[in-house]
Amino acid sequence: MTDPADVAAAPHALHLWADDRKVATLGYDALNDRWSLDYDPDWMAAPSSFPLSPALPFQPLSGGYAVGSVKRFVENLLPEGRALDVTATTYRISKSNIYALITALGTETTGAFRFWRSDDVPPAVAAKPAREVTREELDQRLASLDQMPLAVWDGKVRMSIAGVQDKLMVYLDRPLNDGGRLFLVEPPLASTHILKPDPARPITPHLVVNEHFCMCLARRMNLPVAEVSIYRTPRPVLVVRRFDRALVQGAAAGAAHGNGAPSVRRLHIIDAAQASDLPESGKYERNLGNGEHVRHIREGVSFEMLFERVDQTINKAAARMTLLRWALFQFLIGNCDAHGKNFSFFVSREGLEPAPWYDLVSVVQYAGISHELAMAWGDAFLLEEVGAFNLADFAQRCGIDRKLLKREATRLAKLVVEHAPAQALAEEYVDESERAFAAQLRDFVVGQAARLVALADEATKVKAKFL
């Protein structure tokens, strides 16, 4: 806990809430860029309570939290790229003003907590019926993405989750194939799904099909992955079910009519950057870039750092296996952009637990964007340069037995060969170009499966003295 004097002295403050319970007070001194955090005693005493992250426990070591830990946690909740630009422009604040940004966007962030004015409490009842987004209106907005990002509706920015891609958070009253409708959310209602439209840019064709294929392939392989579907306006939109939200059993879904208000419980998750107490800029292993004079600096999230989070988990053996499978699956699909904010953990008082996987994309299908790996296999930062020694080096750094690595690589490769052909024929891919792209993905992952088996076998033969 921060020194209470620091909290009291902070000129600005927000309260953090988890559903209807006050969690903590966040203090901010703009002149000195000082942040403070003070947990509410009643929250700490509750058996079901939990801290924001391992770096921000209820009882920190003597001297308080590490300098910058509170700011780093908050920074990782904010959107990036164009969505951040639009937020700053809309609210007339600097993109570097983290406190102002979370004040503007903090009522519906990733995880359990809502950031609220310290002189107010979150409403228990919605002020007005939820705002429906029809298929036709969504299609019109998708047609004008170049002029107005999807996150902005009715003059308000409605995206407060990390990431660069255009997204929109919505409440879905029932499955779309059962006549479900989409609604924008206002407190106290939380979103249940994320819409990710196809950017329709020549540099990344069929991005929705790409992510849908990879996510559904993982599900066919019985890997822990978020649920996805494709919604057409008729433009393709990937619909991702939020695993940090749970519709309360028996809650009515009359959002459109303002009666029987739905109830969505927020579940707390943090990404690997937050779990590692790193800023958003640390999501890539080469956190300073790949320039000639800085490429040797690797202070961001690496596989080694990711596996170090196992010590923070409740079931360490299960967590280590999940991380190994996640890493191998990224190799199989060619996701070179699998960075530290693309893996998350549920948070409880007892510790961390790996969350379902998300943002699975075969980035190597797109020649026009960088294929440098977000996390190196050993010292290899390009997929085509990964050899048996790099896999052995990866295992050594991450504390993985190489025989286990070989066994899991062989098992996952077999499942890819079994399920990728069926996924390529999925009925969701509706025209010749989409089916051709899915076939391209099928051929790539099957080829990667054969390569992974051979490399994993050779990795077991690398002498330990060379590692």
Side-chain angles (χ1 to χ4, degrees), residues 97-115:
N97 193 333
I98 306 302
Y99 183 84
L101 291 168
I102 201 63
T103 300
L105 300 176
T107 61
E108 177 64 348
T109 64
T110 299
F113 302 120
R114 288 180 287 173
F115 295 76

Side-chain angles (χ1 to χ4, degrees), residues 279-355:
E280 180 275 332
S281 59
K283 67 180 183 179
Y284 291 111
E285 182 172 348
R286 280 177 168 163
N287 55 306
L288 299 185
N290 61 3
E292 180 181 354
H293 301 294
V294 296
R295 59 191 300 115
H296 64 285
I297 300 174
R298 297 163 62 173
E299 299 171 337
V301 179
S302 60
F303 281 126
E304 183 177 1
M305 187 180 293
L306 183 60
F307 275 82
E308 287 173 355
R309 306 283 71 79
V310 168
D311 289 339
Q312 301 168 337
T313 62
I314 301 170
N315 187 329
K316 294 175 175 52
R320 183 175 286 106
M321 185 64 76
T322 298
L323 289 174
L324 174 60
R325 290 169 178 165
W326 181 83
L328 293 174
F329 191 76
Q330 309 301 332
F331 181 95
L332 287 166
I333 64 173
N335 184 12
C336 46
D337 196 41
H339 53 68
K341 295 184 69 62
N342 280 350
F343 192 95
S344 290
F345 301 87
F346 289 112
V347 181
S348 69
R349 184 184 284 264
E350 293 74 27
L352 305 182
E353 180 183 358

